[in-house]
Amino acid sequence: MKKTLTSLLCAAVSLTLLSLACGEGSPPQVPQPLEDGGVLWTECSPEGAREDCSQGESCIFVASHDRHLCVRACDSQTACEHPDAVCCPSSGEGAEGGHCVPSNACVPTDAGVDGGSNEETDGGALEDGGTSTDDGGIQEEDAGVDPEPDAGTDPEPDAGVDPEPDAGTEPDAGTDAGTDAGTDAGTDEGTDGGTDAGHTSIRVMASNLSSGNYQSYDPGHGIRLIKGVDPDIVLMQEFNYGSNSASDIRSLVDQIAPGFHYSRETGAQIPNGIISRWPIIQFGQWPDPRVSNRDFAWARIDIPGPRDLWAVSVHLLTSSSSNRNAEAQAIVNEVRSQIPEDDYLVIGGDLNTDSFSESCFATFRQVVTTAGPHPADHNGNTGTNSNRNKPYDQILVDQDLRQYQQATVIGSSTFPNGLVLDSRTYRPLSEIAPVQSGDSSSSNMQHMGVVKDFLVPNF
């Protein structure tokens, strides 16, 4: 959701929930983007706090920053985890605790935040208050560029108007380049196709990581996020870049992983597709019964060994859980009629699900496993929407492949059940270069990447 900046002067904030002393003649600060991407102080509006802020945060006006921010509560037992945040004490009769605010927005009192002595200082102690967020929802993709047909809008004229003519229609469309890339699986190249002669390491990523105003990877944030975790197979959504010509899409793939194969659905405003280290020997698209601007893209991938891997890249509707369940059933029907039971199957991408109890998960269980534990970030958070409180994005595999899942290891970091990639929380960022800290909070970046790893026998 694209957020607009709230422009309020310091002198007009006497009724706000958080007031920081400005000093006569000192205009409010206009902050530069924070190094961590703003995860601790996402901009919000009091009226839309339930959508803007995550659970446990309040939407409070910070005068020194001239805007409302989502901030977390803190006290002497619950300190602020981030080094750029400070626990600013509350003021007022009976006030206890405080809120984690940018360090330049408050100078705590000498007494700390113990609920006893919370006198306002020149640095700006804060008045407790704000809007509780509970389970704040966010209407994904409906701000500015609404791809869903039920919203009554036409496809974005600049997004995907010139789809690649051959992608997804001929066997060599997007799959002829890099024919030698990663095909010698089981060599000693580490992640490039296996860890030993008898097994192949496969890293799968779900990626609805377009950003900017046109549901495209042009701004580069998503490209860095994908490249940073070095996946072998990427399930792409909103697979747009440049003019969507064959050369532009090839350029996008090569920026992510030079020489990798790809397939991409045609005739779609926000197409789905697959990028693969190994050759794509069949591909196509199954119709989505509830939306007209994309279908479900599938690819049959010739991974090392006697069994192929079928990848299905999906993007379900935001409109309702019943529509998502209908889409899930359509996918299940196609899987049952098209994919051999002996082959491996992965279904992944943007499900837009509000919770793991949604009916579509029960529907998908007919062909894949949906039970946890689920991928998480360093903090154990499994949410994948921008506010990190809903499981929008998933990688679901059949039982044949699930038995070979292994921990995702990147540098010195280990994620036992897979990774939810959020540049705002990942540390150290050097492990996932060239990712930048603000990539996951860039304009209209509404999803996090999801990664799972598998160690599959070559026999």
Side-chain angles (χ1 to χ4, degrees):
M1 174 181 295
K2 187 174 183 179
K3 298 180 176 65
T4 58
L5 298 179
T6 306
S7 299
L8 297 176
L9 295 175
C10 182
V13 299
S14 59
L15 298 180
T16 58
L17 298 172
L18 174 64
S19 178
L20 303 181
C22 296
E24 292 189 80
S26 299
Q29 299 178 36
V30 180
Q32 299 298 314
L34 295 167
E35 182 180 354
D36 79 335
V39 64
L40 294 179
W41 29 83
T42 303
E43 188 177 354
C44 59
S45 65
E47 297 80 8
R50 289 179 61 85
E51 295 184 353
D52 297 339
C53 299
S54 302
Q55 186 172 3
E57 293 180 336
S58 299
C59 183
I60 294 177
F61 185 78
V62 180
S64 68
H65 281 57
D66 196 22
R67 65 197 66 197
H68 285 79
L69 303 177
C70 295
V71 295
R72 292 190 175 277
C74 56
D75 53 33
S76 56
Q77 283 75 43
T78 307
C80 299
E81 297 181 358
H82 196 274
D84 290 336
V86 63
C87 190
C88 194
S90 303
S91 62
E93 184 177 356
E96 295 184 357
H99 288 88
C100 294
V101 299
S103 56
N104 62 346
C106 171
V107 177
T109 60
D110 293 338
V113 187
D114 59 7
S117 176
N118 290 322
E119 295 181 3
E120 187 169 332
T121 69
D122 291 341
L126 55 92
E127 297 178 12
D128 206 1
T131 304
S132 176
T133 58
D134 299 326
D135 185 17
I138 180 170
Q139 191 65 18
E140 184 265 349
E141 296 171 352
D142 291 337
V145 182
D146 193 339
E148 317 298 11
D150 52 344
T153 59
D154 291 331
E156 180 67 33
D158 294 330
V161 296
D162 216 357
E164 181 188 354
D166 297 328
T169 58
E170 294 184 9
D172 61 351
T175 62
D176 56 349
T179 53
D180 294 329
T183 56
D184 292 330
T187 66
D188 58 354
E189 296 190 29
T191 59
D192 292 345
T195 56
D196 59 54
H199 294 80
T200 298
S201 179
I202 302 175
R203 174 167 293 171
V204 181
M205 183 177 194
S207 169
N208 187 353
L209 297 175
S210 68
S211 58
N213 294 329
Y214 301 105
Q215 293 171 292
S216 168
Y217 283 78
D218 287 76
H221 311 102
I223 295 173
R224 288 193 293 268
L225 288 164
I226 301 172
K227 188 177 180 66
V229 295
D230 193 23
D232 299 299
I233 296 172
V234 187
L235 308 175
M236 298 278 286
Q237 291 81 57
E238 302 182 7
F239 197 167
N240 291 316
Y241 188 73
S243 67
N244 286 326
S245 65
S247 60
D248 281 346
I249 298 301
R250 182 71 255 173
S251 172
L252 167 60
V253 173
D254 285 341
Q255 289 178 69
I256 292 171
F260 271 33
H261 311 270
Y262 77 93
S263 62
R264 176 179 178 270
E265 67 168 300
T266 60
Q269 176 205 354
I270 46 174
N272 297 304
I274 294 99
I275 297 174
S276 170
R277 176 183 299 278
W278 299 281
I280 295 175
I281 54 180
Q282 277 184 281
F283 60 95
Q285 55 201 74
W286 298 326
D288 187 324
R290 297 299 174 97
V291 69
S292 62
N293 64 352
R294 74 251 189 186
D295 290 319
F296 310 122
W298 62 269
R300 185 177 187 178
I301 302 172
D302 185 20
I303 63 171
R307 306 170 81 174
D308 294 330
L309 187 152
W310 295 69
V312 186
S313 178
V314 305
H315 189 170
L316 305 188
L317 277 168
T318 62
S319 54
S320 70
S321 59
S322 61
N323 277 334
R324 291 190 286 274
N325 191 49
E327 291 172 310
Q329 188 60 59
I331 294 168
V332 168
N333 293 343
E334 296 286 1
V335 166
R336 284 177 161 171
S337 65
Q338 302 289 337
I339 298 179
E341 289 187 6
D342 289 341
D343 283 346
Y344 300 119
L345 168 66
V346 55
I347 299 172
D350 176 10
L351 306 189
N352 275 314
T353 41
D354 290 329
S355 71
F356 287 111
S357 63
E358 272 203 22
S359 55
C360 71
F361 283 109
T363 298
F364 277 129
R365 276 200 294 272
Q366 298 174 70
V367 293
V368 291
T369 62
T370 63
H374 302 287
D377 65 9
H378 277 89
N379 300 324
N381 189 342
T382 60
T384 70
N385 62 331
S386 59
N387 284 344
R388 305 300 312 283
N389 57 1
K390 293 185 179 182
Y392 277 180
D393 307 86
Q394 297 295 319
I395 295 172
L396 308 174
V397 302
D398 62 1
Q399 187 56 49
D400 290 345
L401 187 55
R402 176 67 179 265
Q403 65 181 319
Y404 299 123
Q405 185 174 347
Q406 61 179 353
T408 296
V409 179
I410 301 176
S412 61
S413 301
T414 298
F415 305 90
N417 308 307
L419 167 67
V420 173
L421 176 60
D422 186 341
S423 66
R424 302 168 297 182
T425 62
Y426 198 103
R427 295 293 183 272
L429 278 175
S430 58
E431 290 184 344
I432 54 172
V435 175
Q436 299 177 15
S437 60
D439 283 345
S440 293
S441 60
S442 59
S443 176
N444 286 326
M445 179 70 73
Q446 299 166 343
H447 299 262
M448 304 298 110
V450 178
V451 176
K452 284 186 178 180
D453 283 64
F454 306 89
L455 186 62
V456 179
N458 296 344
F459 47 84

